[in-house]
Amino acid sequence: MAHDDYDPSTGRRIVRCFIYARISEDREGAGLGVQRQNEDCHELAAQLSTRDVEYRVVREYADNDLSAYSGKPRPDYLAMLGALRAGEADCVLAWHTDRLHRRPVELEEYIDVCEPRKIDTRTVKAGHLDLSTATGRMIARQLGVQARYEVERMIERQRRKRDQMAANGEFFGGRRPFGYETDGVTPRSLMCPTCGADDGFTLLKLCLGCEAPSDFPRGVCRACRASAGFTVQARCCCGSAANITPGSEAALVDEAVDAVLAGASLNSVARDWREQGVKTSTGGDWQQTEVRSMLLRSRNAGILTHRGQEAGQAGWMPIVDEAKWRSMVTLLTEDCRRTGQPGAGRKHLGSGLYVCGVHNVPMRIVTGSKDSGRRPVISYGCRISKHLTRRQDLLDDHVQLAVLDRISRPDAADLLAAREDPIDVRGAQRDMREARARLGELATALGSGELDMMEWRAASAAAKQRLADAEAVLSTAVTVNPVAGLVGADDPEAAWNALDLGRQRAVIDYLMTVVVLPARKGRIPGGGYWDPDAVRIDWK
């Protein structure tokens, strides 16, 4: 339809209109902001129409939950530009010019499209932009500069607000974190051990120095003026401290950390949660990558992360002990998780664990000749040469029987005893708090001009090193004993079979070293070729 076409039924000239609507962040999740803009634009078209001219909406474009400032592609906006170039409309209707552009480069492209084609731009709030005249283009550019200024001011305010919230350990908002209620600070869920209440709790920050409830601006207790740190406690109206409810989301997170530290794979955690019907905070099914991302969140240990860095203690209850969380982070992020870690990427019980007794190297899986059923025989073999192989199924059965025998003995409880010297976890946590407090003081002095940059670098080096040393201590502080859950089980064999491959490999690695020796020649008394005496198990 050309620009001067008429509607024979009304005798009016038709101005073909595109509506463009956009909302940067759709918090309602239903596109209601875009819908309201469309309704206002339809009203504008009706107001512009007269007895001689009809502003007729021929197409609607909308980019929901997309920012015009970020520079990310807006599919419907680009489609509208293509249709305008093709001459499919005479006018663009928008709620405001900032719905169309907030970046000057986009505005210039829009002018280049509209000016030669005499395309009008009409807005509900900013009026008419005549891009065919120098004055109209100047006004459009001024509005664009104003829109960009407002966005940058808004970003500055938001950053300042988040900096202040980070300093106070507050939740930034957003999607509900798994393991917490919608407020982002209360574990999901809690229970009072005294009166049995399951809601109505009050979160308190208790100073580790004076033990009194207090506020902690910049990490300093307002009551005693010390920077000893605090613990967050949920207190019931009856006065008792609440506990995390067994089987709740928060409890599942803590149990998953224990399982990973004991050798379980992320896949097994995801599979178990799917089988139990546990959903993500958005109602989806758990996958390995989602479990990993969730477990790595510092918020689970009560640590606030801001701008990609740990910003200190958070103002909510942790659902995982900090030392245990840091140990798990080290396990999940180190390279050996993908290569040498027991259970990581392995498909067989003993590959990389069983040792060749001749060359003293880990054994690997090899495929030999086919059996009578014409199936390949899978064996463990020496990595250096083919001098030593042992059938995979027979060797695995032998090792598993040894495990079951060991965990069924009367002294099996001794396996739960710690083998390494204890680590001063609280001392490391104290060093972290004090180092962070010192860095905060130095940052304040730098900002006020009391220190120049060179003085700040020299003064902060020691505090940064102390912080790094404490984090390193905590990152290896906790290892969950892999035999926990097997010792004392009513049915050790069932408990063993319930473990995933990674946990089984971790148990073997914890209990024993399996050394495979050359077997005797010929048949073994009894008629078979399997020689149990050619397998030496060295208990650890």
Side-chain angles (χ1 to χ4, degrees):
M1 183 179 291
H3 180 73
D4 57 354
D5 277 353
Y6 290 83
D7 184 342
S9 63
T10 62
R12 294 193 294 180
R13 181 168 59 88
I14 303 302
V15 177
R16 300 165 301 162
C17 299
F18 287 166
I19 288 179
Y20 180 76
R22 179 188 60 80
I23 184 171
S24 299
E25 186 175 8
D26 184 8
R27 293 188 179 275
E28 295 165 310
L32 298 181
V34 164
Q35 179 182 333
R36 287 190 288 265
Q37 292 178 41
N38 280 337
E39 292 172 354
D40 288 349
C41 287
H42 276 284
E43 291 183 9
L44 175 61
Q47 293 168 7
L48 292 172
S49 298
T50 66
R51 294 174 54 186
D52 300 320
V53 180
E54 178 189 353
Y55 281 76
R56 178 178 295 178
V57 175
V58 296
R59 199 172 307 162
E60 296 179 359
Y61 294 92
D63 286 308
N64 194 29
D65 212 14
L66 283 174
S67 169
Y69 177 80
S70 66
K72 293 181 180 179
R74 291 181 282 155
D76 263 29
Y77 175 77
L78 295 176
M80 182 182 71
L81 283 185
L84 292 175
R85 287 190 181 99
E88 297 177 15
D90 313 305
C91 180
V92 174
L93 304 178
W95 193 79
H96 194 281
T97 55
D98 62 10
R99 299 299 88 193
L100 285 166
H101 320 101
R102 280 193 167 171
R103 300 171 67 238
V105 64
E106 284 188 338
L107 173 60
E108 294 303 324
E109 181 185 19
Y110 182 76
I111 291 174
D112 289 343
V113 171
C114 295
E115 179 188 359
R117 296 168 178 83
K118 309 298 182 184
I119 298 173
D120 272 350
T121 300
R122 305 266 183 172
T123 70
V124 176
K125 295 296 182 181
H128 176 214
L129 292 181
D130 185 359
L131 301 180
S132 65
T133 67
T135 301
R137 292 190 294 273
M138 179 192 69
I139 293 173
R141 290 180 177 118
Q142 288 176 338
L143 289 172
V145 169
Q146 180 68 23
R148 187 176 181 88
Y149 167 75
E150 291 296 336
V151 171
E152 291 177 348
R153 282 286 306 276
M154 178 184 66
I155 291 174
E156 287 179 351
R157 290 194 300 269
Q158 290 174 342
R159 284 178 177 171
R160 180 67 187 94
K161 179 181 178 182
R162 291 174 75 88
D163 288 345
Q164 185 178 21
M165 294 175 70
N168 295 328
E170 299 177 27
F171 176 49
F172 292 155
R175 182 179 297 169
R176 181 182 76 82
F178 184 80
Y180 287 85
E181 301 291 352
T182 53
D183 61 7
V185 298
T186 306
R188 190 172 196 172
S189 55
L190 296 173
M191 175 184 64
C192 177
T194 302
C195 67
D198 57 5
D199 59 9
F201 301 106
T202 302
L203 291 184
L204 299 175
K205 293 180 181 179
L206 304 179
C207 179
L208 295 176
C210 65
E211 299 183 354
S214 177
D215 293 330
F216 291 81
R218 298 188 178 276
V220 177
C221 175
R222 196 182 296 275
C224 67
R225 310 305 300 172
S227 57
F230 60 85
T231 182
V232 180
Q233 184 182 94
R235 188 166 293 178
C236 181
C237 57
C238 72
S240 299
N243 297 328
I244 291 176
T245 306
S248 65
E249 281 188 6
L252 288 175
V253 174
D254 190 51
E255 292 169 6
V257 172
D258 284 341
V260 171
L261 287 172
S265 67
L266 296 173
N267 264 329
S268 68
V269 174
R271 182 179 62 251
D272 289 346
W273 284 359
R274 290 196 299 269
E275 291 174 353
Q276 296 176 41
V278 179
K279 299 294 184 179
T280 66
S281 61
T282 57
D285 290 327
W286 286 99
Q287 304 298 330
Q288 174 188 354
T289 54
E290 293 168 328
V291 172
R292 185 179 189 276
S293 297
M294 184 275 296
L295 292 181
L296 289 175
R297 292 174 186 159
S298 62
R299 71 160 11 261
N300 297 332
I303 301 168
L304 188 142
T305 297
H306 181 47
R307 298 187 182 178
Q309 302 290 330
E310 289 187 14
Q313 190 173 359
W316 54 78
M317 280 185 64
I319 56 180
V320 179
D321 177 74
E322 180 181 356
K324 187 163 66 173
W325 176 80
R326 290 190 183 278
S327 297
M328 180 212 61
V329 170
T330 299
L331 181 65
L332 290 182
T333 55
E334 62 187 2
D335 290 339
C336 69
R337 179 72 183 180
R338 298 186 293 273
T339 54
Q341 175 68 25
R346 303 289 187 173
K347 297 181 179 179
H348 299 88
L349 188 65
S351 56
L353 288 180
Y354 303 162
V355 177
C356 169
V358 176
H359 293 109
N360 195 32
V361 295
M363 302 184 74
R364 63 178 181 178
I365 287 292
V366 296
T367 302
S369 58
K370 296 183 179 180
D371 60 15
S372 58
R374 308 306 297 166
R375 292 168 299 186
V377 176
I378 299 176
S379 304
Y380 293 106
C382 177
R383 289 181 179 274
I384 295 179
S385 70
K386 298 181 179 180
H387 73 99
L388 182 63
T389 60
R390 198 71 84 249
R391 273 186 52 172
Q392 174 252 333
D393 55 345
L394 298 178
L395 182 53
D396 284 351
D397 288 345
H398 181 80
V399 171
Q400 291 181 90
L401 288 173
V403 170
L404 293 175
D405 176 69
R406 181 67 186 90
I407 64 177
S408 300
R409 295 178 190 173
D411 64 345
D414 295 342
L415 298 173
L416 298 176
R419 293 180 178 175
E420 299 179 356
D421 294 334
I423 292 176
D424 184 7
V425 172
R426 293 200 177 277
Q429 290 173 326
R430 182 181 61 253
D431 286 347
M432 291 181 66
R433 288 194 300 270
E434 293 176 356
R436 287 191 182 117
R438 177 59 176 159
L439 288 172
E441 293 170 359
L442 292 173
T444 301
L446 177 64
S448 65
E450 297 177 23
L451 295 176
D452 61 27
M453 183 59 70
M454 292 186 63
E455 291 172 331
W456 175 83
R457 286 173 178 167
S460 64
K464 289 181 178 179
Q465 186 59 52
R466 186 182 183 188
L467 180 62
D469 291 344
E471 289 178 347
V473 168
L474 289 180
S475 70
T476 57
V478 178
T479 301
V480 176
N481 195 316
V483 300
L486 292 177
V487 174
D490 293 336
D491 188 342
E493 183 175 0
W496 169 261
N497 291 332
L499 299 180
D500 74 310
L501 180 64
R503 288 287 300 277
Q504 290 179 343
R505 287 173 53 85
V507 170
I508 292 172
D509 189 49
Y510 179 84
L511 289 178
M512 63 179 74
T513 299
V514 179
V515 182
V516 182
L517 304 168
R520 289 174 283 179
K521 300 292 185 180
R523 290 181 179 271
I524 305 301
Y529 290 93
W530 169 252
D531 184 4
D533 295 333
V535 180
R536 188 181 80 232
I537 293 180
D538 297 333
W539 298 101
K540 295 180 179 179

